[in-house]
Amino acid sequence: MTHGEICKHNDEVKKVLCSMFKNLFGDPFSDLDREHRPIPLKRIDDINYEVEWRTVDIEKDGHKVIHVDQTRYGETVMIYRLHHNDYNESEDQSIHLRIKIVTSKGVKTPDSNAFLSFQHTNKSMRISDIKIKGERVSRGYGSILMTAIMLLVDQLQVRYITGWISGVDWDHIDRSEHFYRKFGFDVELNPEAQSGKIIWVNHALGATREAFERLKAEQESLVDEERLFGP
């Protein structure tokens, strides 16, 4: 099989497995996909107070609001990071970002998500998924979410960001490509396989694409060695 055929086959397998899982156990992301009725504001029409109250409420449980911004539609968007008991700044991290949308009509929650991973040793970040679906698309949530990710990049001194564009995104590939390029990513697409990859290099920290490729080759070599000789 060619590389393209393998990728298409893997996507089909994933779709079948997801369908089987949903039939057996239901959809674990159904709460994220459907719109919930807004939760009323604590004070009528007082957006600022609501953001302050929500920030305190989120952070009392150990989580952290990392960015607040407004869309062109007048919606206030809160991006916060979920922290867990196993969180350690000096170790590799799985990062889960959540969104709350605050308007005069109330607070929408739960909403869209982003899943990232951070490798402490080489200061690299991987975007596993940015989940914005349905009516939430093209409302500015993705840009605000990416701005929050870039704030984490500054905080963690990230040198490189990588990620994949899978076949499930191919029906809106032009929009995805424009989105990533807007934030300075290189986007490499494979139309045959209906997949692609994204790469962002933090030139402000002296990182280069050449250094990234060397690091990638070293990691692949280590993986090959482990396959041959064991960990």
Side-chain angles (χ1 to χ4, degrees):
M1 296 176 71
T2 67
H3 176 69
E5 290 172 336
I6 291 171
C7 291
K8 288 182 179 179
H9 174 72
N10 289 342
D11 281 342
E12 290 301 320
V13 170
K14 289 177 184 177
K15 289 177 183 178
V16 171
L17 290 175
C18 285
S19 178
M20 291 173 60
F21 185 89
K22 289 178 182 179
N23 290 336
L24 288 171
F25 304 107
D27 185 357
F29 297 108
S30 58
D31 279 349
L32 302 176
D33 291 338
R34 67 170 178 262
E35 285 288 349
H36 289 251
R37 294 181 62 183
I39 299 172
L41 301 182
K42 301 298 177 182
R43 295 179 180 175
I44 296 175
D45 292 331
D46 196 335
I47 303 294
N48 291 334
Y49 178 81
E50 189 69 28
V51 171
E52 292 174 2
W53 189 93
R54 293 286 167 185
T55 299
V56 172
D57 186 58
I58 289 168
E59 298 189 348
K60 71 178 175 58
D61 293 325
H63 310 307
K64 182 68 176 177
V65 175
I66 59 176
H67 186 49
V68 179
D69 205 345
Q70 195 171 52
T71 70
R72 63 182 180 274
Y73 300 102
E75 301 167 306
T76 298
V77 180
M78 302 178 66
I79 311 292
Y80 62 102
R81 178 181 176 182
L82 297 181
H83 283 301
H84 304 288
N85 293 331
D86 58 353
Y87 169 72
N88 188 325
E89 287 189 355
S90 64
E91 297 178 353
D92 293 351
Q93 302 171 30
S94 294
I95 300 172
H96 183 187
L97 302 182
R98 297 288 302 274
I99 297 179
K100 288 186 184 294
I101 311 297
V102 185
T103 70
S104 59
K105 296 179 180 179
V107 181
K108 292 182 181 180
T109 185
D111 215 286
S112 307
N113 289 252
F115 299 92
L116 320 167
S117 59
F118 172 68
Q119 288 188 315
H120 181 76
T121 52
N122 55 32
K123 296 293 185 180
S124 66
M125 177 180 286
R126 181 177 179 82
I127 298 177
S128 300
D129 192 19
I130 294 179
K131 190 179 184 69
I132 297 176
K133 301 178 67 177
E135 295 180 357
R136 303 178 187 120
V137 173
S138 299
R139 295 192 65 83
Y141 304 157
S143 293
I144 294 175
L145 190 53
M146 184 61 79
T147 299
I149 291 173
M150 290 302 175
L151 291 174
L152 285 176
V153 164
D154 290 340
Q155 176 188 327
L156 297 171
Q157 295 289 281
V158 173
R159 297 177 67 82
Y160 312 104
I161 305 176
T162 62
W164 285 96
I165 297 175
S166 70
V168 297
D169 299 314
W170 207 255
D171 63 338
H172 52 267
I173 189 60
D174 290 343
R175 186 174 72 230
S176 295
E177 181 181 9
H178 171 76
F179 172 75
Y180 285 113
R181 289 194 185 280
K182 181 173 67 172
F183 284 92
F185 284 79
D186 290 333
V187 181
E188 300 176 5
L189 301 177
N190 184 338
E192 179 188 355
Q194 292 194 344
S195 65
K197 60 183 179 179
I198 56 172
I199 303 167
W200 180 87
V201 177
N202 195 342
H203 299 290
L205 294 181
T208 64
R209 180 65 183 266
E210 292 76 14
F212 167 78
E213 295 297 343
R214 288 196 298 270
L215 176 63
K216 179 182 174 184
E218 290 171 4
Q219 291 177 328
E220 290 174 349
S221 178
L222 288 174
V223 170
D224 290 339
E225 287 182 10
E226 288 183 357
R227 286 174 179 168
L228 286 173
F229 307 109

